[in-house]
Amino acid sequence: MDTIFKALNDPARRSLMDSLRHKAGQSLSELEAQFDMTRFGVMKHLKVLEDAHLVVTRKEGRFKYHYLNPVPLQEVIDRWVAPFLQPQVAALSQLKSRLERYHMAKPDFMMQTFIRCTQDALWEALQDPDEMAAYHFMCNAVEQSGNVYTFILPDGNPMLKQKVLSSDPKSRLELTFEPLFMGPEAPPSRNVYLIEPQGETCKLTIEHYEMAEGQEGFAEGWARLASSLKSYLETGKALKGAA
């Protein structure tokens, strides 16, 4: 937690985070153009944010793209703020998306978290419908039919459907993301889970592709899911929303 508070204790770094919240996946040159700082100064601040896992990066060719990672902030809220608040289900954002193609070079959204668990346990949690239902922050049931998962809300209505597109066992899982709560005309997008074992922990990277403008609300949903998954695997207790 010390690195998080240190990273936040600087207005320049908070401004960089604001910029990445407004527009994800920016290069160093894009960020440099927005601030009255040298290129080295921007790089130095980004390094502090990366060390605190508040910013994650992805390299494509000679370019490096930066993404705000909300998971550490959500963990701070879960630890010190949430216990004092009346639990409520997170409001579902009004989402509008369009499916463009299945092989974009750069994700529209990206986050990372570190979970103290085995690679096998994390892989199982991302695929087993009973476990998925146990830690999902809104749904209490997940139905599986072949390679298709349907997430069911407590009132019995389906919230989300996901179909497995590709799978590299214990390392990479790619799925469609079909928001059923938006109605039958809602277009799908897709997300990717990447697992990297690191000693006693696993680094989980979540990428979301084909997100339409105005879908920033996905970030909160992913942060809640990642935090609940982490708590479930480390303590056996998920972080469920109120019914």
Side-chain angles (χ1 to χ4, degrees):
M1 293 291 180
D2 291 343
T3 56
I4 295 175
F5 291 117
K6 175 184 175 182
L8 293 173
N9 190 29
D10 187 284
R13 290 194 283 272
R14 294 196 297 270
S15 294
L16 285 168
M17 292 173 66
D18 284 337
S19 178
L20 292 174
R21 177 174 60 86
H22 178 70
K23 180 184 177 184
Q26 295 188 62
S27 66
L28 175 60
S29 296
E30 288 178 291
L31 291 168
E32 180 189 1
Q34 301 171 43
F35 299 97
D36 187 20
M37 287 188 283
T38 64
R39 189 177 184 85
F40 176 77
V42 175
M43 291 174 63
K44 184 176 179 180
H45 285 305
L46 286 173
K47 178 64 165 59
V48 174
L49 292 171
E50 288 182 49
D51 289 343
H53 305 301
L54 291 167
V55 167
V56 293
T57 63
R58 180 186 178 95
K59 293 194 71 174
E60 292 292 339
R62 61 189 184 89
F63 294 102
K64 184 177 182 181
Y65 299 100
H66 302 78
Y67 296 81
L68 180 65
N69 185 31
V71 172
L73 296 176
Q74 184 66 46
E75 291 173 356
V76 170
I77 292 172
D78 291 338
R79 180 171 177 178
W80 282 297
V81 180
F84 299 98
L85 302 177
Q86 177 67 32
Q88 297 183 18
V89 176
L92 291 174
S93 301
Q94 294 301 312
L95 305 176
K96 180 182 178 183
S97 64
R98 58 188 177 87
L99 181 63
E100 295 178 284
R101 59 185 182 276
Y102 277 116
H103 298 288
M104 295 180 66
K106 188 179 74 163
D108 299 301
F109 174 79
M110 178 179 172
M111 67 162 55
Q112 290 177 344
T113 188
F114 293 82
I115 304 176
R116 188 177 296 275
C117 68
T118 65
Q119 190 175 7
D120 287 336
L122 179 52
W123 182 252
E124 184 74 10
L126 294 175
Q127 293 194 105
D128 182 86
D130 291 333
E131 293 204 52
M132 294 159 76
Y135 65 77
H136 195 277
F137 65 97
M138 291 193 67
C139 297
N140 62 351
V142 177
E143 299 176 353
Q144 182 179 7
S145 177
N147 65 346
V148 177
Y149 299 96
T150 303
F151 293 73
I152 308 298
L153 292 166
D155 63 6
N157 289 318
M159 172 191 173
L160 174 71
K161 181 178 289 186
Q162 294 197 280
K163 178 181 179 180
V164 177
L165 297 173
S166 64
S167 175
D168 185 2
K170 303 182 185 180
S171 299
R172 184 180 187 276
L173 183 64
E174 180 180 3
L175 309 101
T176 62
F177 190 94
E178 304 173 43
L180 302 179
F181 55 88
M182 295 176 60
E185 302 302 319
S189 53
R190 65 186 174 98
N191 72 274
V192 175
Y193 295 112
L194 299 170
I195 301 174
E196 297 178 50
Q198 298 190 349
E200 295 182 352
T201 66
C202 283
K203 180 171 75 171
L204 174 65
T205 301
I206 300 173
E207 300 176 343
H208 202 133
Y209 295 79
E210 287 100 43
M211 288 173 60
E213 184 178 354
Q215 290 185 341
E216 292 80 7
F218 277 141
E220 181 179 346
W222 281 123
R224 287 181 177 273
L225 182 72
S227 294
S228 187
L229 172 59
K230 176 180 173 69
S231 178
Y232 174 75
L233 288 174
E234 292 184 344
T235 71
K237 182 178 180 182
L239 303 176
K240 288 280 191 177

